[in-house]
Amino acid sequence: MFRFLIVAVAFLAILPACSSSSTFEGADDEGRDLHSSARPKEVRSTHLVLDLELDFGARRLKGTVVHHLQRRYGDLLRLDVKDLDIRACRAGRSGAMREIAWHIEKGSESGGDSLIIALEPGDDRAAVDYFTTDAGSGLQWLRPEQTAGKKKPFLFSQSQAIHARTWIPCQDSPGIRVTYEAHVKTPGDLVAVMSAEKTGGNQPALEHHFHMPQAIPTYLIALAVGDLQFREMSERTGVWAEPSVVEKAAWEFADTEKMMTTVEKLYGPYRWGRYDILVLPPSFPFGGMENPRLTFATPTILAGDRSLVSLVAHELAHSWSGNLVTNATHRDFWLNEGFTVYLEQRIMEAVYGRERYAMEVTLGLRGLEEEMAEMDARDQILHVDLAGRDPDDGFTSVPYDKGAALLRRLEQVFGRDPFDAFLRRYFDHFSFRSITTATFRSFLEKNLLASNPEAAAKVDLDEWIEGSGLPDDLPREASEAFKEIDQAIMEWDAGRLQLGSTGHASWTTQEWLHFIASLGERRPVAKLSEIDRAYRLTASGNSEITAAWLKLSITSGYTPAFEKTAHFLTSQGRRKFLTPLYKALMQTPAGKKRAMEIYRRARPTYHAISVRTIDEVLGWTEAGS
């Protein structure tokens, strides 16, 4: 320790002066990612070698990461770190490594800090030894009782948006792509999987080896360890899940190969080898995460009728939009999600028909408009300004559904075939690259707009990309099934229709969601009771239907659904469902009391990402109020 202090003091003397807040905030005239301290134009990480050892008893990961470096100028390697216990740093060439000076420069609360390592001329490797801590948001350690099997512990990572830095010291920016390899040590009765090719067998073992040869941003590095089994769905697709879930999941996702071939016909080959899906325990905060080769998915999409597999289509589509062509900074996030929603909707149309496509588009736009009604104007912009803010604040429906609407508008004015040809060129041209909104607009101008100036004049890109709200030329879809439901509700409200005669037995999830949404924000308790007797919605096992029905029940004061609300909020941690339900509860004094009671029990089981959101919704403090 004494020797380190001497080296550190000497190192501090050579550091350039800078303010503590400059690392993550403010403008950068070279377009540097404001949410990363990395300076890739000076020293860039190109390949990571990870050596990870998991301690489930201590809920801690012991790690070493070796960075292969591309040196341009300068002698300082800057890595993003947050809530990590850094023990030592080394540098050198190939296998010859020596201990070197390092320093932590304080950054921001959301972005974390910068680990600065002093290099000598000729160094092309740098290694960091470290431990994770309880405060890190990128890993969630689950006790056996929090899993489906209730017998063995589980660990999973969630690196997007900037959580990779909480379990790997890295240049944590979507604009910096790396290849990686990993050696993972686990208890012998657990299986490890990663967003990479596993070298060796898939059986439980003490050591697991992985290799990712394609360059990816660090937010796509993923790890999960648990009691996992595998089921093959086709030669290149399969499902990982706990034993009690795996068969159900394999049936639910059986159309994955059809989805893959659909996208390949439109936009080029799948370039990642395998496409597998890992079904996680219910605390996973998102619907899915598009980790290459291994999508992470929430169990809440296992509806038993394949009605929620648009999420699989979405995560698969990321293999082209997001993983293959990536947003360079977090304000360009719409380049990932808007394109992916557009591809997802095209997949659903090809596999399940035009009516399903129309329903999905309509529901997406309804959710967008509802969310935007409560949103600051600055957050309604596709090219959103996130300077000085946590990138997780950009995870709204705007980059998803407004972005997809822009692409549908371009398809509308240029024609589907020309627009598909443009997208194919786009994915081929920028494959394995990270780009900005400006780069996309330049490519769009040269490769589509210039080909038909008359059509181009019909789309105001500045309004779409840089403006708040929704443009007047927003393209919509008409669903015949939804029209029938609207008519049935009118007839029921007028007393001319019995609920049991609505033809509901054949309704899809999308039709149920439209039905519930069309009832309005609240209904008399007697009306909800009549609906529940006819359709048993409180007893529904479909998570999307349940969430929509419970929100209406909360706002309407329908007490028979209150017990189900508490169970739903304590049995899964998907932020999409948690946020609107807790917000609805907070609208009345009695509801606020219930929300606090439920959250006090549920909070320890939620992922850190969900906790951050719901803490804000409830005004939660460490004292619990």
Side-chain angles (χ1 to χ4, degrees):
M1 175 62 73
F2 178 73
R3 186 172 73 86
F4 165 73
L5 288 175
I6 294 176
V7 173
V9 170
F11 177 48
L12 284 172
I14 67 173
L15 286 176
C18 54
S19 69
S20 62
S21 63
S22 63
T23 302
F24 299 105
E25 297 182 1
D28 187 288
D29 57 7
E30 294 184 349
R32 183 169 60 92
D33 181 357
L34 300 181
H35 296 93
S36 172
S37 65
R39 296 184 182 176
K41 291 184 179 180
E42 298 176 16
V43 182
R44 186 188 192 99
S45 179
T46 61
H47 179 73
L48 308 185
V49 181
L50 295 165
D51 195 331
L52 309 174
E53 184 173 353
L54 278 60
D55 186 337
F56 278 92
R59 299 164 72 90
R60 184 176 70 171
L61 181 153
K62 176 184 179 182
T64 294
V65 57
V66 179
H67 290 265
H68 292 207
L69 304 175
Q70 180 184 73
R71 305 269 309 263
R72 292 174 177 172
Y73 65 87
D75 297 320
L76 300 181
L77 169 64
R78 296 173 182 269
L79 302 177
D80 298 305
V81 294
K82 185 181 181 186
D83 300 320
L84 289 176
D85 178 6
I86 307 298
R87 294 300 179 90
C89 296
R90 300 180 302 283
R93 292 185 62 84
S94 300
M97 305 280 277
R98 69 190 183 284
E99 189 170 343
I100 55 174
W102 56 276
H103 169 68
I104 297 292
E105 179 182 284
K106 287 296 182 182
S108 69
E109 181 179 353
S110 63
D113 305 322
S114 177
L115 171 60
I116 305 177
I117 300 172
L119 303 172
E120 293 183 1
D123 288 346
D124 64 1
R125 302 282 193 279
V128 183
D129 300 329
Y130 64 96
F131 287 92
T132 60
T133 68
D134 290 340
S137 56
L139 298 178
Q140 186 171 24
W141 302 82
L142 302 177
R143 300 183 301 277
E145 59 268 26
Q146 293 176 277
T147 68
K150 312 295 184 185
K151 296 179 181 179
K152 298 179 182 180
F154 204 105
L155 166 73
F156 68 87
S157 66
Q158 174 55 40
S159 296
Q160 195 180 39
I162 55 172
H163 302 283
R165 64 191 66 178
T166 69
W167 66 287
I168 305 170
C170 60
Q171 294 185 325
D172 195 13
S173 168
I176 302 173
R177 306 176 78 97
V178 296
T179 54
Y180 79 89
E181 55 192 286
H183 173 216
V184 183
K185 298 178 182 178
T186 70
D189 59 347
L190 299 178
V191 172
V193 291
M194 293 192 78
S195 56
E197 178 183 4
K198 192 169 190 178
T199 56
N202 287 324
Q203 300 304 312
L206 291 174
E207 300 186 5
H208 311 259
H209 300 273
F210 302 90
H211 176 56
M212 168 51 76
Q214 294 100 338
I216 59 173
T218 49
Y219 76 80
L220 291 176
I221 299 177
L223 169 68
V225 178
D227 183 15
L228 296 173
Q229 291 185 358
F230 179 76
R231 293 293 184 272
E232 187 176 83
M233 297 187 297
S234 70
E235 290 185 359
R236 56 179 178 170
T237 68
V239 172
W240 288 97
E242 293 184 71
S244 62
V245 177
V246 68
E247 296 293 349
K248 181 179 181 180
W251 183 89
E252 199 85 22
F253 305 148
D255 291 331
T256 301
E257 180 65 35
K258 292 180 183 178
M259 295 180 180
M260 291 183 71
T261 56
T262 294
V263 190
E264 286 182 314
K265 290 176 182 177
L266 292 171
Y267 306 124
Y270 180 78
R271 310 187 196 202
W272 302 93
R274 291 196 59 81
Y275 181 78
D276 295 329
I277 302 168
L278 169 65
V279 179
L280 289 171
S283 63
F284 185 51
F286 300 121
M289 180 62 212
E290 65 271 17
N291 307 307
R293 297 182 65 96
L294 188 68
T295 279
F296 283 10
T298 171
T300 63
I301 64 171
L302 300 178
D305 59 2
R306 298 176 183 158
S307 63
L308 302 181
V309 294
S310 61
L311 184 137
V312 175
H314 182 92
E315 305 307 335
L316 171 63
H318 268 303
S319 302
W320 286 261
S321 54
N323 298 2
L324 188 63
V325 184
T326 308
N327 57 291
T329 74
H330 295 286
R331 73 174 310 198
D332 305 303
F333 184 54
W334 77 275
L335 293 177
N336 272 27
E337 297 299 349
F339 279 69
T340 297
V341 171
Y342 176 82
L343 266 64
E344 165 203 336
Q345 292 166 347
R346 293 291 302 278
I347 293 170
M348 298 305 290
E349 178 184 11
V351 177
Y352 300 104
R354 183 72 185 185
E355 178 62 20
R356 177 71 170 268
Y357 168 85
M359 289 192 287
E360 298 278 4
V361 170
T362 301
L363 290 173
L365 288 180
R366 175 185 291 149
L368 171 65
E369 290 172 319
E370 290 175 354
E371 185 173 7
M372 286 180 65
E374 302 178 355
M375 188 182 294
D376 291 343
R378 67 171 181 168
D379 291 328
Q380 299 175 13
I381 298 170
L382 282 182
H383 195 210
V384 61
D385 184 1
L386 292 170
R389 303 165 64 191
D390 192 318
D392 283 348
D393 293 342
F395 280 76
T396 71
S397 56
V398 171
Y400 292 76
D401 293 293
K402 184 178 178 180
L406 168 57
L407 300 190
R408 288 198 307 275
R409 178 59 178 157
L410 290 169
E411 174 202 317
Q412 188 180 65
V413 300
F414 285 93
R416 176 166 283 192
D417 289 343
F419 189 62
D420 281 345
F422 162 76
L423 285 181
R424 173 64 188 265
R425 289 194 300 272
Y426 170 79
F427 291 129
D428 287 343
H429 183 79
F430 292 112
S431 60
F432 299 105
R433 292 170 61 184
S434 299
I435 67 170
T436 64
T437 297
T439 302
F440 163 72
R441 291 190 63 166
S442 176
F443 188 81
L444 178 69
E445 173 64 39
K446 295 175 182 176
N447 292 274
L448 186 66
L449 304 186
S451 67
N452 189 339
E454 183 178 350
K458 298 178 181 178
V459 183
D460 187 339
L461 288 178
D462 286 333
E463 181 183 13
W464 271 100
I465 296 174
E466 306 293 348
S468 60
L470 294 172
D472 292 337
D473 59 343
L474 177 75
R476 298 184 182 273
E477 289 291 327
S479 164
E480 294 303 317
F482 286 179
K483 290 180 182 178
E484 292 178 5
I485 291 172
D486 293 338
Q487 182 63 35
I489 292 175
M490 289 178 58
E491 294 293 316
W492 174 55
D493 282 339
R496 296 190 294 268
L497 180 71
Q498 292 287 330
L499 282 181
S501 61
T502 55
H504 63 279
S506 61
W507 280 1
T508 63
T509 295
Q510 291 70 33
E511 288 168 290
W512 281 114
L513 293 177
H514 180 75
F515 170 75
I516 295 171
S518 298
L519 295 173
E521 292 187 2
R522 56 181 52 84
R523 283 261 165 169
V525 170
K527 288 287 188 181
L528 290 193
S529 181
E530 183 181 349
I531 292 170
D532 211 7
R533 286 195 302 271
Y535 300 139
R536 296 182 54 79
L537 292 179
T538 301
S540 172
N542 183 301
S543 61
E544 294 280 354
I545 296 171
T546 296
W549 173 250
L550 293 180
K551 181 182 177 183
L552 178 60
S553 297
I554 292 168
T555 58
S556 302
Y558 181 58
T559 57
F562 284 7
E563 183 178 346
K564 179 65 172 287
T565 301
H567 178 266
F568 189 66
L569 289 172
T570 55
S571 62
Q572 58 81 35
R574 189 175 173 185
R575 192 172 63 166
K576 171 186 176 181
F577 298 145
L578 301 181
T579 304
L581 293 180
Y582 278 114
K583 282 184 176 180
L585 285 168
M586 293 295 287
Q587 298 307 304
T588 65
K592 181 177 181 179
K593 182 180 178 181
R594 288 175 50 225
M596 293 297 182
E597 292 172 349
I598 293 169
Y599 192 52
R600 187 173 286 107
R601 286 183 286 138
R603 190 175 187 271
T605 69
Y606 290 164
H607 190 279
I609 292 174
S610 293
V611 166
R612 176 178 178 268
T613 299
I614 306 306
D615 277 358
E616 184 175 344
V617 170
L618 271 58
W620 187 269
T621 65
E622 291 300 323
S625 61

